Amino acid sequence: MKYSRRKFITTLGKGSALLMLPAVPKFPEKLLNENKKSVKSDKRLGIALVGLGNYATGQLAPALQETSNCYLSGIVTGTPAKAERWKRQYNIPDNNIYNYENFDKIADNKSIDVVYVVLPNSMHREYTIRAAKAGKHVFCEKPMALSSKECQEMIDACKKAGVRLFIGYRLHTEPHHKAAMKFRSDGESGIIYVQSEFAFKIGDPNQWRLKKALAGGGPMMDLGIYAIQAARYSIGEEPLSVTAQQYKTDYQKFSEVEESVTWQMKFPGGHVSNSYTSYMTPANCLYIGTDRRWFNLKNAYSYRGITGSTNSGELDLPQINQQAVQMDTFSQCIFDGSESDASGEEGLKDLKVIEAVYRAMESGNIEKV
Ligand code: NAD
């Protein structure tokens, strides 16, 4: 479905005013004066995608044909044949095409404002820091890095370089998830229970997602992070402690990483969540309940086709191009210097929870986050 800016704004109302932008946004005086890394006001931001795998090819590059605040200006790839294909398909000039060896020369390229890191998880830290050193703003895919320590190093590097850092949380700008974030503020005072599950069956046993050194872990890092996010923003608090249990049926395929995990989180207000992730048995839902009301999403974490209902009836919310809205929103934050709820600090919070889940999985105890 086409990205319908007007429909999205109308539905979401005031909270989404950020998205109602002129095609060519102005860069505010305030930021120029603060000597932050700036972009010219008379152009859209040029984005270079690093790592032309499934997500960059199937989602991000097509979404960049729909964006208003940014466009695909460059690529970084280790495969010359891919470079040739992308160059022709997206009309990318030769001097905006880099490989992993000459990547740092991107510092001299004025038509690239943002580096979007879409590499295996273990490479997020390195390429975020190298991009920051090159003076580029960074969009980095989730999970932000392999550990909270790495996340902090990335945050520090971007601060030092005066560039912005955003994590690819595409659901923060998605209407159904915006509604989940509002559930509690709609007058909820009782205990909230959240059930969040995201899992799919993984095929190729040789892919990087099953190698601990490249992925950092299994479905917890890749999919469980969505369930953590949903519980955190539905409840509106940070979890205090977790318990966790893992299950394995295919010991060969999952020799390095976990196969399936259930975990429970306790929140300061007494709220609780129960979550599930797996690379074996699929699941994809978000349920929020109290003694008075409930809210339910199906296909909750999919790129499209999210549907929802509540105790008052079906949700009638638009389907959007999640990646286009995400990248336009991040770009707008760069233009006007506004805060983002998908910052590096947000990515760090998730890694701290994930680390606690892994500790709890091993110890069998309640682990503090
Ligand atoms: P992928 O395997 O399809 O692509 C990875 C890319 O990295 C490939 O182009 C590959 O050539 C390149 N690469 C460079 N060095 C590599 C190495 N040493 N080993 C393997 N590949 C190497 O993966 P993907 O599905 O595109 O995922 C990339 C990142 O994007 C991951 O961090 C993933 O979590 C994230 N992602 C996010 C979403 C989302 O909805 N936000 C969806 C999918 C993937």
Side-chain angles (χ1 to χ4, degrees):
M1 182 168 301
K2 265 249 183 207
Y3 161 26
S4 165
R5 173 171 292 245
R6 181 167 298 281
K7 193 171 178 206
F8 180 44
I9 291 163
T10 310
T11 310
L12 292 181
K14 211 174 152 205
S16 301
L18 261 185
L19 293 171
M20 202 180 312
L21 313 165
V24 183
K26 293 266 186 292
F27 192 75
E29 275 306 306
K30 184 175 133 267
L31 271 197
L32 290 170
N33 294 339
E34 284 173 8
N35 198 26
K36 294 223 174 117
K37 191 55 60 183
S38 68
V39 290
K40 291 200 192 84
S41 61
D42 59 349
K43 65 164 189 146
R44 298 183 297 162
L45 295 180
I47 296 194
L49 294 176
V50 186
L52 308 182
N54 286 325
Y55 194 55
T57 306
Q59 305 301 326
L60 296 176
L64 281 164
Q65 313 311 304
E66 308 258 335
T67 43
S68 306
N69 295 337
C70 52
Y71 71 105
L72 179 61
S73 66
I75 50 174
V76 183
T77 173
T79 314
K82 268 192 206 170
E84 198 51 43
R85 208 165 51 243
W86 279 63
K87 174 183 150 172
R88 272 189 275 110
Q89 184 169 356
Y90 292 111
N91 208 13
I92 297 170
D94 283 331
N95 50 7
N96 287 6
I97 299 175
Y98 295 85
N99 56 45
Y100 298 110
E101 283 70 48
N102 66 15
F103 171 80
D104 305 285
K105 288 205 169 68
I106 216 163
D108 305 324
N109 193 326
K110 290 195 170 23
S111 59
I112 294 172
D113 304 290
V114 177
V115 165
Y116 197 150
V117 181
V118 206
L119 291 161
N121 308 342
S122 63
M123 301 171 79
H124 291 184
R125 175 192 169 278
E126 176 187 343
Y127 280 87
T128 293
I129 292 175
R130 282 170 72 177
K133 283 187 176 156
K136 305 301 177 187
H137 301 289
V138 184
F139 300 171
C140 176
E141 260 317 315
K142 45 55 58 181
M144 181 172 169
L146 300 191
S147 67
S148 54
K149 182 174 172 289
E150 287 192 356
C151 293
Q152 193 58 58
E153 289 165 2
M154 293 156 75
I155 292 169
D156 293 344
C158 289
K159 279 209 175 110
K160 190 170 171 204
V163 299
R164 300 288 302 272
L165 171 60
F166 303 85
I167 309 304
Y169 291 129
R170 58 185 163 78
L171 295 173
H172 281 217
T173 41
E174 200 286 328
H176 297 80
H177 285 262
K178 289 276 218 188
M181 291 171 198
K182 269 188 87 239
F183 180 83
R184 185 177 179 184
S185 60
D186 283 347
E188 202 50 62
S189 58
I191 296 296
I192 300 170
Y193 168 68
V194 170
Q195 182 165 351
S196 50
E197 302 181 353
F198 192 26
F200 53 64
K201 188 163 184 166
I202 205 163
D204 177 9
N206 298 313
Q207 62 185 288
W208 65 262
R209 281 182 165 80
L210 297 173
K211 313 266 182 255
K212 182 144 180 142
L214 286 165
M220 192 67 223
M221 294 288 276
D222 191 20
L223 310 176
I225 194 167
Y226 287 94
I228 291 171
Q229 276 272 305
R232 286 182 49 235
Y233 55 63
S234 302
I235 291 173
E237 293 180 1
E238 296 307 320
L240 291 172
S241 64
V242 302
T243 46
Q245 307 77 34
Q246 72 161 318
Y247 312 89
K248 214 172 257 198
T249 57
D250 188 336
Y251 286 85
Q252 198 177 351
K253 192 170 183 181
F254 298 97
S255 62
E256 295 190 27
V257 300
E258 74 279 3
E259 180 186 302
S260 305
V261 190
T262 49
W263 74 101
Q264 304 74 38
M265 301 193 277
K266 278 190 85 170
F267 293 78
H271 313 295
V272 287
S273 66
N274 191 29
S275 291
Y276 167 77
T277 190
S278 173
Y279 273 158
M280 186 60 85
T281 309
N284 191 348
C285 64
L286 171 61
Y287 173 85
I288 316 171
T290 68
D291 59 339
R292 297 187 304 122
R293 296 188 300 141
W294 57 266
F295 174 103
N296 197 27
L297 296 185
K298 288 185 184 162
N299 295 319
Y301 310 100
S302 303
Y303 299 146
R304 37 196 83 77
I306 302 176
T307 57
S309 53
T310 73
N311 51 291
S312 313
E314 299 295 309
L315 287 174
D316 181 19
L317 295 170
Q319 302 292 329
I320 61 161
N321 182 327
Q322 297 172 10
Q323 289 79 8
V325 177
Q326 173 210 306
M327 290 187 280
D328 265 348
T329 305
F330 292 174
S331 300
Q332 184 58 30
C333 288
I334 293 172
F335 283 131
D336 63 20
S338 55
E339 292 300 318
S340 167
D341 60 5
S343 62
E345 284 77 4
E346 177 72 5
L348 167 63
K349 284 178 187 165
D350 283 337
L351 259 295
K352 285 186 173 167
V353 179
I354 290 174
E355 286 170 342
V357 170
Y358 281 133
R359 286 198 304 275
M361 228 166 74
E362 288 305 315
S363 70
N365 297 328
I366 299 170
E367 295 286 343
K368 285 189 179 152
V369 174

